[in-house]
Amino acid sequence: MKLADLNKVALAMVTPGKGILAADESSGTIKKRFDAIKVESTEENRRDYREMLFRSQEAMSKYISGVILYDETIWQNAKDGTPLIKLIEQAGSIPGIKVDEGTQALPNCPGELVTVGLDKLAERLKKYYERGARFAKWRAVIDIGTGGIPSMTAIRVNAHALARYAALCQAAQIVPIVEPEVLMDGDHDIERCYDVTSRVLNQTFRELRVQRVELEGMVLKPNMAIAGKKSAKQASVEEVAEKTIRMLKACVPAAVPGIAFLSGGQSDEEATAHLNAMNRIGNLPWKLTFSFGRALQAAPQKAWSGRPENVAAGQRAFTHRARMNALASKGEWATDMEKKAA
Ligand code: 13P
């Protein structure tokens, strides 16, 4: 493993003023997104939609450091025959690949999940590297519920799998994005999210150490400390920022080059405002940026709605969100910038 090269890629992924586009929705998830805009989820429509994003020249070259792809997309060609991965490279952005194979029920832990996909991962990584992927993603899902959820069992097996994946990536000269996502689906308050996420992060870094993963050659993709969507007690932007930073400082070693947040179901502007407020706090040991799926794509999906005549509008909507989040990665975003563009 060449650690200096892994570190270089990791740092490029979290360059201030840039962030990551998570366009790696599985076939099931993209179908849900397309259902919402009444577009049929065919291979061609998925290709056209993603081609629209990757051909957004301004967004891709100025604000998007890397793109996480789904297996189907990494092998797909644009309408004119150019591999989609080439469009990303030509824009100066780094292609990445989602390598987990989703979740399965965790035995003996009713209601809890474990992420799978380690079998044959070494061979798959080799093929993805040859195709041009320089980083990967694996998402573990931890739910907050009642009756002992999350269990320590779920936290431990998911942390173990994340570390196995990360070690295999580094051996294949691919930077692992380590994503232990604590869901914001419940009615829990911010304190409970803070506690659960802290336990999850501590266990994840314990496993990464046990399995000798080089922290300089990875990127962490966590959730923010935030109240559940159904909680009556929502925290202010400042509180989310302050608690998230306090939590990360306690749990994430300074050797990690960067942290790129998931949006997790926050609204577009909330996700941007939170990232911005965290970067305003300043004096942090790691770079803080975005690796958003929904908070970057909800607007372009709506503007596009599957119609070729809306491609320019879709690209404008994507470029706007990419620019807003790029500003937030430097703490330079303000609410009135949203109004001017509306
Ligand atoms: P969201 O930003 O929509 O949460 O997606 C990011 C992601 O990649 C989840 O794995």
Side-chain angles (χ1 to χ4, degrees), residues 22 24 33 68 137 139 179 181 221 262-265 291-295:
D24 60 326
R33 307 281 181 261
I68 317 175
K137 177 190 117 171
R139 172 175 176 257
E179 180 181 11
E181 175 173 7
K221 176 162 173 168
L262 59 95
S263 61
S291 175
F292 295 161
R294 281 162 285 181

Side-chain angles (χ1 to χ4, degrees), residues 92-106:
S93 190
I94 310 169
I97 181 78
K98 168 197 177 78
V99 299
D100 69 69
E101 294 178 328
T103 54
Q104 283 180 3
L106 179 62

Side-chain angles (χ1 to χ4, degrees), residues 16-332:
K18 289 191 175 193
I20 299 164
L21 165 64
D24 60 326
E25 298 82 2
S26 63
S27 304
T29 303
I30 196 75
K31 184 179 179 312
K32 268 194 262 168
R33 307 281 181 261
F34 277 15
D35 283 349
I37 52 167
K38 301 197 170 57
V39 173
E40 198 189 340
S41 184
T42 61
E43 194 178 332
E44 193 180 354
N45 285 341
R46 294 192 290 271
R47 191 274 312 274
D48 288 351
Y49 168 64
R50 286 166 172 150
E51 180 173 352
M52 171 183 86
L53 297 179
F54 308 158
R55 283 197 192 274
S56 300
Q57 201 47 42
E58 184 190 345
M60 291 295 297
S61 59
K62 282 192 175 161
Y63 311 127
I64 300 296
S65 58
V67 181
I68 317 175
L69 301 168
Y70 185 58
D71 180 75
E72 174 183 89
T73 319
I74 202 168
W75 307 109
Q76 243 171 356
N77 292 336
K79 220 176 200 109
D80 68 2
T82 315
L84 288 179
I85 193 168
K86 283 274 167 289
L87 300 182
I88 296 166
E89 289 167 353
Q90 281 162 9
S93 190
I94 310 169
I97 181 78
K98 168 197 177 78
V99 299
D100 69 69
E101 294 178 328
T103 54
Q104 283 180 3
L106 179 62
N108 307 322
C109 297
E112 296 193 285
L113 301 169
V114 60
T115 301
V116 298
L118 289 170
D119 291 351
K120 309 233 169 65
L121 181 55
E123 289 112 276
R124 287 162 58 218
L125 287 168
K126 197 163 173 281
K127 290 199 189 102
Y128 288 140
Y129 185 92
E130 282 162 12
R131 182 73 175 168
R134 290 296 174 267
F135 69 92
K137 177 190 117 171
W138 178 288
R139 172 175 176 257
V141 191
I142 301 291
D143 200 8
I144 300 183
T146 49
I149 291 184
S151 65
M152 205 53 217
T153 311
I155 294 175
R156 286 179 72 161
V157 295
N158 277 293
H160 183 267
L162 274 168
R164 287 269 290 130
Y165 139 83
L168 285 165
C169 282
Q170 292 190 337
Q173 207 53 45
I174 286 181
V175 172
I177 294 185
V178 173
E179 180 181 11
E181 175 173 7
V182 177
L183 297 176
M184 57 180 290
D185 288 343
D187 60 2
H188 53 272
D189 61 13
I190 189 170
E191 299 296 344
R192 176 118 165 90
C193 176
Y194 182 104
D195 288 344
V196 171
T197 307
S198 299
R199 276 164 62 203
V200 168
L201 289 172
N202 286 334
Q203 187 62 32
T204 301
F205 280 99
R206 189 171 302 144
E207 274 298 336
L208 290 169
R209 257 197 314 276
V210 167
Q211 299 189 39
R212 305 182 182 182
V213 172
E214 296 283 4
L215 301 185
E216 293 92 338
M218 65 163 273
V219 168
L220 179 71
K221 176 162 173 168
N223 53 285
M224 300 176 193
I226 194 166
K229 260 185 265 176
K230 292 187 216 130
S231 170
K233 216 173 93 197
Q234 292 296 324
S236 66
V237 169
E238 289 68 32
E239 192 181 357
V240 169
E242 182 268 319
K243 286 214 160 71
T244 304
I245 294 299
R246 194 147 58 86
M247 174 180 83
L248 294 172
K249 278 190 172 169
C251 305
V252 183
V256 173
I259 297 175
F261 292 97
L262 59 95
S263 61
Q266 299 179 42
S267 76
D268 299 357
E269 278 194 48
E270 261 170 14
T272 307
H274 289 148
L275 177 63
N276 187 64
M278 285 188 263
N279 276 308
R280 287 262 167 98
I281 292 172
N283 200 23
L284 304 170
W286 354 254
K287 304 280 186 285
L288 284 193
T289 190
F290 57 93
S291 175
F292 295 161
R294 281 162 285 181
L296 272 173
Q297 294 188 66
Q301 277 162 7
K302 213 166 146 216
W304 173 64
S305 288
R307 302 176 118 92
E309 65 271 28
N310 290 342
V311 163
Q315 290 180 327
R316 269 199 306 280
F318 172 50
T319 305
H320 175 64
R321 284 267 47 90
R323 191 167 82 84
M324 293 298 102
N325 288 309
L327 287 165
S329 76
K330 299 185 284 184
E332 292 172 5

